[in-house]
Amino acid sequence: MINAKTRLYGLIGKPVEHSLSPVIHNALFKRYNINAVYLAFDVDDLESAVKGVKALGISGLNVTMPYKEQILEFLDELSEEARAIGSVNTVVNREGKLIGYNTDGIGALKALKRFTEVEGKRVLLLGAGGAGKAIAYTLSRLAKVVVLNRTERKAKELEKFGVKGGKLSKENLKRYLSWADIVINATSLGMNEDRSPIPKGLLRENLVVFDIVYSPLETNLLREAREVGCLTIDGLWMLIHQGAESFRLWTGVKPDVEFMRREALKGEKRSI
């Protein structure tokens, strides 16, 4: 029951109306008997929104596109990972001090580890935005990583993590897909659209294909990869694992990820 002691958490971004995060986190609050609610906020003015978090005593946030990088300047403190990556997807309000974290990298790593070995593998990562940076930072400690991005400069900037950066072109796709053990789509291409960042003819049977897009659950890339015989990993696994880490940071509770996925799938069916 909502009362004067109920804590408020939320998601800020634009757009947010299709997010499954409220479904997942509200189910977790109920499961663990935590007096809290989670709402999604479609934000136009980020600075005002962050000031509102402090003014209203909102306990924590998830941050999504397009604010993962912009929010850094409005926070009081950053975790080591968030500072290195330059991107925040989780905020904890500790007695009025807003602390930024990034759980995208660990979310992607845990999603991958459910299905395949990562250490020592060759990883081709497409996209150098907020999520791509976090994944590159995290995986660079375990694997050999090449990052391709439409704007080559952004991919090259990630070489500070010990990865190799290059331009996302057909030539480079062909070159590095033949080299890679794992390919990760960290771009938004394929989100609610029937397009893929990789031509089907470049995919091969022994490749692991991970798409961080989770709407639709099976993107065009994953469908074509499955048809070729690749091992495929959908983006909902990353959403679940990064959300689990956010929940732990907010509450101190390590949640059941299998339960989270079941609730997310129920929410997806209700939204169709």
Side-chain angles (χ1 to χ4, degrees), residues 108-138:
L109 176 60
K110 287 186 175 182
L112 278 167
K113 281 187 168 183
R114 293 188 71 91
F115 299 93
T116 188
E117 290 291 329
V118 178
E119 193 164 354
K121 293 297 181 73
R122 294 174 292 192
V123 179
L124 174 59
L125 175 63
L126 309 183
K133 286 197 293 185
I135 295 169
Y137 173 84
T138 302

Side-chain angles (χ1 to χ4, degrees), residues 81-117:
E81 291 82 1
R83 187 179 303 280
I85 296 164
S87 176
V88 162
N89 78 325
T90 302
V91 177
V92 179
N93 186 346
R94 291 196 181 135
E95 298 179 348
K97 179 186 285 187
L98 301 185
I99 305 170
Y101 297 84
N102 193 301
T103 69
D104 279 333
I106 191 67
L109 176 60
K110 287 186 175 182
L112 278 167
K113 281 187 168 183
R114 293 188 71 91
F115 299 93
T116 188
E117 290 291 329

Side-chain angles (χ1 to χ4, degrees), residues 153-226:
R153 173 184 54 81
K154 286 191 172 184
K156 290 288 188 182
E157 286 172 359
L158 301 190
E159 291 185 342
K160 62 186 177 183
F161 299 149
V163 306
K164 179 178 176 59
K167 186 172 180 59
L168 180 52
S169 64
K170 189 168 183 179
E171 293 75 19
N172 275 339
L173 270 177
K174 186 175 182 180
R175 175 186 176 186
Y176 288 111
L177 279 168
S178 64
W179 163 86
D181 303 304
I182 301 168
V183 60
I184 304 172
N185 176 36
T187 76
S188 60
L189 195 64
M191 184 183 296
N192 296 314
E193 62 176 358
D194 192 28
R195 292 201 296 161
S196 171
I198 301 174
K200 186 176 181 180
L202 296 183
L203 298 169
R204 66 177 195 279
E205 186 177 358
N206 59 340
L207 196 62
V208 177
V209 180
F210 177 25
D211 196 337
I212 74 165
V213 172
Y214 67 86
S215 181
L217 192 61
E218 185 177 66
T219 60
N220 194 51
L221 170 61
L222 293 185
R223 177 178 54 79
E224 291 183 343
R226 175 175 53 79

Side-chain angles (χ1 to χ4, degrees), residues 137-150:
Y137 173 84
T138 302
L139 296 189
S140 66
R141 283 146 177 73
L142 298 169
K144 299 172 184 177
V145 181
V146 171
V147 182
L148 300 181
N149 193 67
R150 282 184 301 178

Side-chain angles (χ1 to χ4, degrees), residues 39-101:
L39 299 174
F41 300 100
D42 199 88
V43 169
D44 290 308
D45 185 338
L46 179 61
E47 183 176 7
S48 296
V50 176
K51 287 179 179 177
V53 170
K54 281 191 173 185
L56 295 172
I58 293 173
S59 297
L61 294 174
N62 282 134
V63 185
T64 189
M65 296 184 293
Y67 299 129
K68 288 185 178 185
E69 297 168 349
Q70 296 175 36
I71 198 171
L72 270 70
E73 64 178 294
F74 305 121
L75 300 178
D76 300 304
E77 193 176 311
L78 298 173
S79 70
E80 179 184 343
E81 291 82 1
R83 187 179 303 280
I85 296 164
S87 176
V88 162
N89 78 325
T90 302
V91 177
V92 179
N93 186 346
R94 291 196 181 135
E95 298 179 348
K97 179 186 285 187
L98 301 185
I99 305 170
Y101 297 84

